[in-house]
Amino acid sequence: MSSILTGITTSGTPHLGNYVGAIKPSLGKIKESQKSFLFLADYHSLIKQQDPELTHKSSLEIASAWLACGLDPKKTFFYRQSRVPQIMELNWILSNTTSKGLLNRAHAYKAAQDLNAEKKIKDLDKGITAGLFNYPVLMAADILIFDADFIPVGSDQKQHIEMTRDIALRFNHIYGEIFTIPQAHISKSIPLLLGTDGRKMSKSYKNYIELFSDEKTLKKSINKIVTDSLLPGEPKETNNSILYSYFKAFASKDLLKEVEIMFSEGKGWGELKNELFILINTELESFRNKYFFYLENQKTVESILIDGEKQVLTIAEKKLVEIRKKIGIRSLDEK
Ligand code: ADP
Ligand code: TRP
Protein backbone atom coordinates (compact mmCIF):
# COMPACT_ATOMS: atom_id res chain seq x y z
CA MET A 1 0.00 0.00 0.00
CA SER A 2 1.04 3.55 0.64
CA SER A 3 4.05 5.29 2.16
CA ILE A 4 3.10 7.71 4.90
CA LEU A 5 5.17 10.79 5.62
CA THR A 6 4.67 13.79 7.83
CA GLY A 7 6.75 16.35 9.73
CA ILE A 8 6.27 18.79 12.57
CA THR A 9 8.26 22.02 12.75
CA THR A 10 10.46 22.32 15.81
CA SER A 11 9.29 25.81 16.63
CA GLY A 12 7.60 25.28 19.99
CA THR A 13 5.86 22.89 22.34
CA PRO A 14 3.66 20.22 20.71
CA HIS A 15 -0.02 21.03 21.05
CA LEU A 16 -3.41 19.39 20.59
CA GLY A 17 -3.59 20.68 16.98
CA ASN A 18 -0.40 18.77 16.10
CA TYR A 19 -1.88 15.68 17.75
CA VAL A 20 -5.22 15.86 15.95
CA GLY A 21 -3.82 16.95 12.56
CA ALA A 22 -0.61 14.93 12.31
CA ILE A 23 0.35 12.61 15.17
CA LYS A 24 -2.84 10.63 15.74
CA PRO A 25 -3.80 10.08 12.08
CA SER A 26 -0.24 9.10 11.14
CA LEU A 27 0.16 6.58 13.92
CA GLY A 28 -3.32 5.24 13.18
CA LYS A 29 -2.52 4.67 9.53
CA ILE A 30 0.91 3.06 9.97
CA LYS A 31 -0.43 -0.49 10.38
CA GLU A 32 -1.99 -0.41 6.92
CA SER A 33 0.93 1.18 5.16
CA GLN A 34 4.04 -0.25 3.63
CA LYS A 35 6.49 2.35 4.97
CA SER A 36 6.27 5.35 7.23
CA PHE A 37 8.50 8.40 7.54
CA LEU A 38 7.94 10.70 10.51
CA PHE A 39 10.36 13.53 11.08
CA LEU A 40 11.27 16.71 12.90
CA ALA A 41 11.17 19.61 10.44
CA ASP A 42 14.00 21.45 12.17
CA TYR A 43 15.27 23.37 9.14
CA HIS A 44 11.69 24.45 8.45
CA SER A 45 11.52 25.89 11.94
CA LEU A 46 14.04 28.61 10.99
CA ILE A 47 11.31 30.12 8.83
CA LYS A 48 9.07 30.66 11.84
CA GLN A 49 11.55 31.68 14.53
CA GLN A 50 15.27 32.11 15.05
CA ASP A 51 15.75 31.31 18.71
CA PRO A 52 18.43 28.57 18.87
CA GLU A 53 17.45 27.43 22.36
CA LEU A 54 13.79 27.16 21.36
CA THR A 55 14.67 25.09 18.28
CA HIS A 56 16.78 22.76 20.41
CA LYS A 57 14.22 22.38 23.19
CA SER A 58 11.36 21.95 20.74
CA SER A 59 13.23 19.20 18.88
CA LEU A 60 13.40 17.11 22.05
CA GLU A 61 9.77 17.87 22.92
CA ILE A 62 8.41 16.95 19.53
CA ALA A 63 10.51 13.79 19.30
CA SER A 64 9.37 12.82 22.82
CA ALA A 65 5.74 13.45 21.91
CA TRP A 66 5.93 11.16 18.87
CA LEU A 67 7.54 8.39 20.90
CA ALA A 68 5.17 8.80 23.85
CA CYS A 69 2.14 8.57 21.56
CA GLY A 70 3.34 5.21 20.26
CA LEU A 71 5.73 5.74 17.36
CA ASP A 72 7.66 2.48 17.10
CA PRO A 73 11.13 3.23 15.70
CA LYS A 74 11.46 -0.41 14.61
CA LYS A 75 8.54 0.02 12.23
CA THR A 76 8.88 3.70 11.28
CA PHE A 77 11.72 5.78 9.91
CA PHE A 78 12.08 8.52 12.50
CA TYR A 79 14.64 11.28 11.85
CA ARG A 80 15.59 14.95 11.78
CA GLN A 81 15.27 16.77 8.47
CA SER A 82 18.64 18.45 9.14
CA ARG A 83 20.43 15.08 9.26
CA VAL A 84 19.39 14.17 5.73
CA PRO A 85 21.41 16.55 3.52
CA GLN A 86 19.95 14.97 0.39
CA ILE A 87 16.71 16.84 1.22
CA MET A 88 18.58 20.14 0.99
CA GLU A 89 20.20 19.10 -2.28
CA LEU A 90 16.83 18.18 -3.76
CA ASN A 91 15.48 21.49 -2.46
CA TRP A 92 17.96 23.29 -4.73
CA ILE A 93 17.27 21.06 -7.72
CA LEU A 94 13.51 21.59 -7.39
CA SER A 95 13.96 25.37 -7.01
CA ASN A 96 15.03 25.38 -10.64
CA THR A 97 11.94 23.72 -12.05
CA THR A 98 9.47 25.48 -9.75
CA SER A 99 8.06 28.70 -11.14
CA LYS A 100 8.31 31.81 -9.01
CA GLY A 101 4.67 32.47 -9.83
CA LEU A 102 3.64 29.30 -8.00
CA LEU A 103 5.49 30.43 -4.87
CA ASN A 104 3.95 33.93 -5.16
CA ARG A 105 0.60 32.28 -4.51
CA ALA A 106 1.63 30.44 -1.31
CA HIS A 107 -0.67 31.33 1.62
CA ALA A 108 2.18 31.85 4.11
CA TYR A 109 3.96 34.29 1.78
CA LYS A 110 0.74 36.09 0.86
CA ALA A 111 -0.22 36.40 4.54
CA ALA A 112 3.15 38.04 5.29
CA GLN A 113 2.63 40.47 2.40
CA ASP A 114 -0.92 41.23 3.54
CA LEU A 115 0.43 42.10 6.97
CA ASN A 116 2.75 44.67 5.39
CA ALA A 117 -0.15 46.05 3.34
CA GLU A 118 -2.27 46.41 6.51
CA LYS A 119 0.57 48.34 8.12
CA LYS A 120 0.67 50.56 5.01
CA ILE A 121 4.27 49.51 4.29
CA LYS A 122 5.01 50.27 0.62
CA ASP A 123 7.49 47.43 0.03
CA LEU A 124 5.23 44.43 0.51
CA ASP A 125 8.27 42.14 0.79
CA LYS A 126 9.73 44.05 3.72
CA GLY A 127 10.99 41.65 6.39
CA ILE A 128 10.03 38.55 4.37
CA THR A 129 12.89 36.06 4.10
CA ALA A 130 13.87 34.00 1.08
CA GLY A 131 13.33 31.00 3.39
CA LEU A 132 9.64 31.79 3.84
CA PHE A 133 9.26 32.27 0.10
CA ASN A 134 10.95 28.94 -0.60
CA TYR A 135 8.98 27.09 2.14
CA PRO A 136 6.85 25.01 -0.30
CA VAL A 137 9.91 23.82 -2.23
CA LEU A 138 11.64 22.49 0.89
CA MET A 139 8.41 20.77 1.84
CA ALA A 140 8.22 19.19 -1.62
CA ALA A 141 11.81 17.95 -1.19
CA ASP A 142 10.90 16.39 2.19
CA ILE A 143 8.13 14.40 0.55
CA LEU A 144 9.49 13.58 -2.91
CA ILE A 145 12.88 12.26 -1.79
CA PHE A 146 11.09 9.32 -0.14
CA ASP A 147 8.37 8.79 -2.77
CA ALA A 148 5.76 9.21 -0.05
CA ASP A 149 2.17 9.26 -1.27
CA PHE A 150 0.02 9.63 1.85
CA ILE A 151 0.58 12.82 3.85
CA PRO A 152 -1.48 13.27 7.05
CA VAL A 153 -1.68 17.01 7.85
CA GLY A 154 -4.06 19.66 9.15
CA SER A 155 -5.96 21.65 6.51
CA ASP A 156 -3.51 24.57 6.91
CA GLN A 157 -1.01 22.45 4.96
CA LYS A 158 -3.36 21.50 2.13
CA GLN A 159 -1.98 24.08 -0.29
CA HIS A 160 1.59 22.95 0.38
CA ILE A 161 0.76 19.38 -0.60
CA GLU A 162 -1.00 20.62 -3.73
CA MET A 163 2.12 22.61 -4.57
CA THR A 164 4.25 19.51 -3.98
CA ARG A 165 2.09 17.73 -6.54
CA ASP A 166 2.56 20.58 -9.04
CA ILE A 167 6.31 20.63 -8.41
CA ALA A 168 6.57 16.85 -8.89
CA LEU A 169 4.45 16.81 -12.05
CA ARG A 170 6.49 19.60 -13.63
CA PHE A 171 9.77 17.85 -12.84
CA ASN A 172 8.44 14.57 -14.19
CA HIS A 173 7.31 16.38 -17.33
CA ILE A 174 10.71 17.98 -17.92
CA TYR A 175 13.01 15.10 -17.01
CA GLY A 176 10.82 11.99 -17.21
CA GLU A 177 8.87 10.04 -14.58
CA ILE A 178 10.74 9.93 -11.31
CA PHE A 179 8.56 11.27 -8.52
CA THR A 180 5.48 9.71 -6.92
CA ILE A 181 2.58 12.18 -6.74
CA PRO A 182 1.51 12.55 -3.10
CA GLN A 183 -1.92 13.18 -1.61
CA ALA A 184 -2.83 15.10 1.55
CA HIS A 185 -4.81 13.21 4.14
CA ILE A 186 -6.93 15.68 6.11
CA SER A 187 -9.48 14.68 8.73
CA LYS A 188 -13.01 15.28 7.44
CA SER A 189 -14.53 15.90 10.86
CA ILE A 190 -11.76 18.19 12.19
CA PRO A 191 -9.67 19.58 9.35
CA LEU A 192 -8.24 22.22 11.71
CA LEU A 193 -8.45 22.38 15.49
CA LEU A 194 -9.18 25.86 16.79
CA GLY A 195 -7.20 27.52 19.53
CA THR A 196 -8.77 28.64 22.81
CA ASP A 197 -9.47 32.04 21.16
CA GLY A 198 -11.15 30.62 18.04
CA ARG A 199 -8.24 31.21 15.63
CA LYS A 200 -6.24 28.22 14.29
CA MET A 201 -4.42 26.59 17.19
CA SER A 202 -0.75 27.26 16.52
CA LYS A 203 2.63 27.32 18.22
CA SER A 204 2.99 30.83 16.83
CA TYR A 205 -0.03 32.15 18.80
CA LYS A 206 -0.60 32.01 22.51
CA ASN A 207 -3.83 30.12 21.93
CA TYR A 208 -2.68 26.54 22.08
CA ILE A 209 -3.29 23.76 24.56
CA GLU A 210 -0.10 21.84 25.23
CA LEU A 211 -0.35 18.19 24.30
CA PHE A 212 1.41 17.16 27.48
CA SER A 213 1.08 19.21 30.62
CA ASP A 214 0.08 18.07 34.11
CA GLU A 215 -3.64 17.57 34.72
CA LYS A 216 -4.01 20.90 36.50
CA THR A 217 -2.53 22.85 33.59
CA LEU A 218 -4.64 20.93 31.07
CA LYS A 219 -7.76 21.76 33.07
CA LYS A 220 -6.77 25.42 33.27
CA SER A 221 -6.13 25.60 29.51
CA ILE A 222 -9.50 23.98 28.74
CA ASN A 223 -11.19 26.50 31.03
CA LYS A 224 -9.74 29.26 28.83
CA ILE A 225 -11.67 28.09 25.74
CA VAL A 226 -13.88 31.02 24.75
CA THR A 227 -17.67 30.48 24.96
CA ASP A 228 -20.68 32.78 24.84
CA SER A 229 -22.31 33.99 28.06
CA LEU A 230 -25.33 31.63 28.09
CA LEU A 231 -26.17 30.45 31.60
CA PRO A 232 -26.68 26.87 32.86
CA GLY A 233 -30.18 25.75 31.88
CA GLU A 234 -30.11 27.74 28.62
CA PRO A 235 -29.86 25.55 25.46
CA LYS A 236 -26.55 25.91 23.65
CA GLU A 237 -25.75 25.70 19.95
CA THR A 238 -23.13 23.24 18.75
CA ASN A 239 -22.73 25.22 15.51
CA ASN A 240 -19.83 27.64 15.81
CA SER A 241 -19.02 26.46 19.32
CA ILE A 242 -15.26 26.18 19.82
CA LEU A 243 -15.85 23.85 22.74
CA TYR A 244 -18.01 21.54 20.63
CA SER A 245 -15.29 21.34 17.98
CA TYR A 246 -12.96 19.87 20.60
CA PHE A 247 -15.58 17.24 21.47
CA LYS A 248 -15.77 16.45 17.76
CA ALA A 249 -12.02 15.92 17.67
CA PHE A 250 -11.87 13.58 20.66
CA ALA A 251 -15.26 11.90 21.25
CA SER A 252 -16.56 8.67 19.74
CA LYS A 253 -19.72 8.94 17.62
CA ASP A 254 -21.89 7.71 20.49
CA LEU A 255 -20.36 10.05 23.01
CA LEU A 256 -20.74 12.94 20.59
CA LYS A 257 -24.48 12.29 20.43
CA GLU A 258 -24.62 12.48 24.24
CA VAL A 259 -22.65 15.72 24.16
CA GLU A 260 -25.10 17.18 21.64
CA ILE A 261 -27.92 16.37 24.07
CA MET A 262 -25.99 18.07 26.89
CA PHE A 263 -25.68 21.19 24.71
CA SER A 264 -29.35 21.25 23.75
CA GLU A 265 -30.48 20.59 27.32
CA GLY A 266 -28.43 23.57 28.49
CA LYS A 267 -25.66 22.04 30.56
CA GLY A 268 -23.47 24.86 31.95
CA TRP A 269 -20.22 25.75 30.19
CA GLY A 270 -18.26 24.90 33.35
CA GLU A 271 -19.68 21.37 33.43
CA LEU A 272 -19.17 20.94 29.70
CA LYS A 273 -15.54 22.01 30.06
CA ASN A 274 -15.13 19.47 32.82
CA GLU A 275 -16.57 16.74 30.54
CA LEU A 276 -14.09 17.79 27.87
CA PHE A 277 -11.21 17.71 30.33
CA ILE A 278 -12.11 14.14 31.35
CA LEU A 279 -12.34 13.08 27.71
CA ILE A 280 -9.00 14.54 26.62
CA ASN A 281 -7.23 13.58 29.82
CA THR A 282 -8.37 9.96 29.47
CA GLU A 283 -6.92 9.79 25.98
CA LEU A 284 -3.59 11.39 26.89
CA GLU A 285 -3.09 10.05 30.40
CA SER A 286 -1.36 6.84 29.37
CA PHE A 287 1.13 8.75 27.16
CA ARG A 288 1.97 11.50 29.64
CA ASN A 289 4.52 9.67 31.80
CA LYS A 290 6.30 8.34 28.74
CA TYR A 291 6.57 11.90 27.41
CA PHE A 292 8.20 13.13 30.60
CA PHE A 293 10.44 10.05 30.64
CA TYR A 294 11.79 10.86 27.17
CA LEU A 295 12.24 14.55 28.05
CA GLU A 296 14.49 13.45 30.91
CA ASN A 297 16.35 10.89 28.79
CA GLN A 298 17.74 12.91 25.93
CA LYS A 299 20.40 10.29 25.16
CA THR A 300 17.75 7.64 24.51
CA VAL A 301 15.88 9.94 22.13
CA GLU A 302 19.11 10.99 20.40
CA SER A 303 20.15 7.39 19.78
CA ILE A 304 16.69 6.47 18.43
CA LEU A 305 16.96 9.35 15.96
CA ILE A 306 20.52 8.47 14.97
CA ASP A 307 19.39 4.92 14.19
CA GLY A 308 16.53 6.20 12.05
CA GLU A 309 18.81 8.66 10.27
CA LYS A 310 21.27 5.91 9.30
CA GLN A 311 18.44 4.08 7.59
CA VAL A 312 16.89 7.02 5.75
CA LEU A 313 20.26 8.32 4.54
CA THR A 314 20.65 5.19 2.42
CA ILE A 315 17.16 5.54 0.92
CA ALA A 316 17.60 9.27 0.27
CA GLU A 317 21.01 8.85 -1.35
CA LYS A 318 19.72 6.13 -3.66
CA LYS A 319 16.91 8.38 -4.82
CA LEU A 320 19.19 11.36 -5.22
CA VAL A 321 21.59 9.40 -7.43
CA GLU A 322 18.62 8.65 -9.74
CA ILE A 323 17.57 12.31 -9.69
CA ARG A 324 21.09 13.56 -10.44
CA LYS A 325 21.25 11.17 -13.39
CA LYS A 326 17.95 12.51 -14.72
CA ILE A 327 19.29 16.06 -14.72
CA GLY A 328 22.59 15.08 -16.34
CA ILE A 329 24.84 15.14 -13.29
CA ARG A 330 26.80 11.87 -13.29
CA SER A 331 30.40 10.65 -13.64
CA LEU A 332 32.03 11.88 -16.83
CA ASP A 333 32.83 8.36 -17.97
CA GLU A 334 29.26 7.16 -17.38
CA LYS A 335 27.06 6.81 -20.46
P1 ADP B 1 2.23 25.12 14.18
O1 ADP B 1 1.26 25.79 13.26
O2 ADP B 1 1.78 25.10 15.56
O3 ADP B 1 3.65 25.67 14.01
P2 ADP B 1 3.15 22.97 12.58
O4 ADP B 1 3.13 23.96 11.48
O5 ADP B 1 4.47 22.47 13.02
O6 ADP B 1 2.32 23.61 13.76
O7 ADP B 1 2.24 21.74 12.20
C1 ADP B 1 2.65 20.39 12.21
C2 ADP B 1 1.48 19.54 11.80
O8 ADP B 1 0.39 19.75 12.71
C3 ADP B 1 0.94 19.88 10.42
O9 ADP B 1 0.45 18.71 9.82
C4 ADP B 1 -0.20 20.81 10.70
O10 ADP B 1 -1.18 20.83 9.69
C5 ADP B 1 -0.75 20.19 11.98
N1 ADP B 1 -1.44 21.21 12.74
C6 ADP B 1 -0.91 22.31 13.30
N2 ADP B 1 -1.86 23.04 13.89
C7 ADP B 1 -3.03 22.37 13.69
C8 ADP B 1 -4.37 22.60 14.06
N3 ADP B 1 -4.70 23.67 14.74
N4 ADP B 1 -5.30 21.69 13.70
C9 ADP B 1 -4.97 20.59 12.98
N5 ADP B 1 -3.72 20.31 12.61
C10 ADP B 1 -2.75 21.19 12.94
N1 TRP C 1 5.43 22.64 6.96
C1 TRP C 1 4.75 21.76 7.86
C2 TRP C 1 4.10 22.60 8.96
O1 TRP C 1 4.60 23.65 9.29
C3 TRP C 1 5.69 20.75 8.48
C4 TRP C 1 6.29 19.95 7.39
C5 TRP C 1 7.52 20.13 6.83
C6 TRP C 1 5.66 18.85 6.69
N2 TRP C 1 7.70 19.23 5.83
C7 TRP C 1 6.60 18.44 5.71
C8 TRP C 1 4.42 18.22 6.81
C9 TRP C 1 6.30 17.39 4.84
C10 TRP C 1 4.14 17.17 5.91
C11 TRP C 1 5.06 16.77 4.94
O2 TRP C 1 3.11 22.17 9.47
Side-chain angles (χ1 to χ4, degrees):
M1 241 199 72
S2 54
S3 272
I4 298 186
L5 178 143
T6 204
I8 298 183
T9 353
T10 57
S11 52
T13 301
H15 55 68
L16 292 184
N18 300 139
Y19 180 72
V20 168
I23 299 178
K24 195 175 174 182
S26 304
L27 296 176
K29 191 79 189 161
I30 279 176
K31 286 166 223 101
E32 307 160 29
S33 65
Q34 215 176 28
K35 283 187 201 153
S36 48
F37 298 85
L38 303 176
F39 70 98
L40 312 183
D42 48 2
Y43 272 149
H44 260 116
S45 85
L46 303 182
I47 296 167
K48 299 188 188 178
Q49 52 81 28
Q50 280 126 19
D51 174 348
E53 280 317 305
L54 178 65
T55 301
H56 186 245
K57 181 169 170 262
S58 172
S59 301
L60 175 64
E61 289 177 343
I62 290 172
S64 301
W66 274 115
L67 293 166
C69 292
L71 183 155
D72 178 353
K74 290 196 193 79
K75 297 193 180 133
T76 291
F77 299 114
F78 186 43
Y79 57 96
R80 283 162 284 206
Q81 180 188 39
S82 60
R83 300 293 174 105
V84 190
Q86 290 85 353
I87 295 173
M88 289 301 136
E89 207 171 322
L90 180 56
N91 175 54
W92 171 250
I93 296 171
L94 295 176
S95 302
N96 294 288
T97 48
T98 302
S99 73
K100 179 175 173 286
L102 181 82
L103 302 181
N104 283 342
R105 291 191 288 278
H107 294 326
Y109 172 59
K110 274 182 27 191
Q113 281 199 322
D114 289 349
L115 211 66
N116 280 335
E118 263 173 46
K119 292 187 196 153
K120 307 236 175 312
I121 296 172
K122 272 206 187 114
D123 175 6
L124 292 184
D125 283 335
K126 186 157 189 255
I128 300 178
T129 62
L132 174 73
F133 190 67
N134 196 53
Y135 182 141
V137 183
L138 179 54
M139 198 152 151
D142 287 332
I143 298 170
L144 301 178
I145 193 93
F146 294 118
D147 283 313
D149 56 0
F150 190 91
I151 321 293
V153 281
S155 65
D156 58 314
Q157 296 299 318
K158 183 168 181 256
Q159 190 201 30
H160 288 143
I161 313 302
E162 282 163 5
M163 287 187 163
T164 298
R165 292 168 63 89
D166 288 345
I167 291 170
L169 284 166
R170 189 167 160 86
F171 191 97
N172 284 354
H173 178 70
I174 298 172
Y175 290 111
E177 291 298 310
I178 183 144
F179 292 129
T180 303
I181 309 302
Q183 188 125 37
H185 175 72
I186 298 169
S187 156
K188 283 202 182 73
S189 60
I190 291 290
L192 203 66
L193 193 69
L194 298 178
T196 50
D197 59 357
R199 289 185 295 169
K200 169 201 181 266
M201 182 180 287
S202 172
K203 295 191 222 89
S204 316
Y205 309 137
K206 292 229 160 4
N207 69 351
Y208 62 84
I209 299 182
E210 282 183 31
L211 177 54
F212 294 116
S213 51
D214 55 55
E215 288 191 7
K216 234 173 133 184
T217 313
L218 176 63
K219 200 161 193 179
K220 250 176 132 175
S221 309
I222 289 178
N223 283 335
K224 281 195 199 142
I225 297 173
V226 173
T227 59
D228 58 30
S229 49
L230 288 172
L231 297 171
E234 294 185 294
K236 292 163 181 72
E237 291 280 337
T238 50
N239 266 353
N240 301 326
S241 159
I242 306 174
L243 199 70
Y244 178 73
S245 70
Y246 281 78
F247 279 111
K248 239 175 127 183
F250 287 91
S252 64
K253 268 193 189 145
D254 289 346
L255 184 63
L256 199 60
K257 277 195 192 124
E258 287 177 36
V259 169
E260 282 162 10
I261 296 170
M262 291 181 206
F263 268 70
S264 65
E265 287 182 347
K267 212 169 208 193
W269 289 123
E271 277 181 274
L272 286 167
K273 284 179 175 175
N274 195 43
E275 294 288 342
L276 181 67
F277 163 73
I278 295 168
L279 179 67
I280 297 182
N281 194 47
T282 309
E283 177 151 348
L284 299 179
E285 203 164 41
S286 61
F287 305 148
R288 194 177 281 130
N289 284 344
K290 284 190 214 151
Y291 176 73
F292 291 111
F293 166 84
Y294 286 117
L295 277 194
E296 293 295 313
N297 289 275
Q298 295 99 320
K299 277 211 170 102
T300 309
V301 182
E302 179 68 27
S303 76
I304 292 174
L305 285 166
I306 288 178
D307 266 1
E309 284 149 8
K310 270 190 208 141
Q311 300 169 46
V312 288
L313 275 172
T314 317
I315 305 173
E317 184 54 25
K318 192 165 167 256
K319 186 74 188 178
L320 198 62
V321 168
E322 275 179 55
I323 299 166
R324 286 199 205 102
K325 275 192 186 157
K326 282 272 185 206
I327 61 175
I329 295 185
R330 60 180 190 276
S331 306
L332 296 181
D333 56 355
E334 207 177 315
K335 279 281 170 252

